[in-house]
Amino acid sequence: MKKMLLYPAIALFFFNAIFFACSNNGGEEPKKGVIEKMTDKTAKDIVDKIRTPIEKARSAKKMEEDRSRKIGEALKE
């Protein structure tokens, strides 16, 4: 009789342990501290300072290619 109750109890224990171990208790993002906020802001500023000249260079290159294409079309006509 004891074995009949012992095995289902052990199985129930393991099932619950696995179920709760796999549950997502940390669904929301933890709040950032002051240092993490400053780090994120600094990283964003650095990325913006790096990307701005690159984007300007790409824009200038595109304008030069458009101008060269228009000149080439004008010469063909």
Side-chain angles (χ1 to χ4, degrees):
M1 179 76 173
K2 287 185 179 181
K3 285 186 179 181
M4 289 177 57
L5 293 176
L6 182 63
Y7 292 131
I10 291 173
L12 183 64
F13 173 76
F14 282 118
F15 174 76
N16 285 334
I18 292 171
F19 179 74
F20 287 113
C22 294
S23 67
N24 187 8
N25 292 337
E28 55 186 71
E29 201 173 291
K31 294 185 179 181
K32 293 184 178 181
V34 176
I35 294 173
E36 291 155 343
K37 288 180 183 177
M38 285 177 42
T39 304
D40 289 346
K41 184 182 180 309
T42 304
K44 184 181 179 308
D45 291 344
I46 291 171
V47 168
D48 288 343
K49 287 183 180 183
I50 291 172
R51 284 188 181 168
T52 301
I54 293 172
E55 290 172 358
K56 287 182 180 179
R58 286 182 182 154
S59 176
K61 179 183 175 186
K62 185 177 181 308
M63 288 172 49
E64 179 63 28
E65 288 172 352
D66 289 344
R67 188 173 67 89
S68 296
R69 184 182 45 83
K70 288 179 184 177
I71 291 173
E73 289 174 359
L75 290 175
K76 288 181 183 177
E77 293 176 0

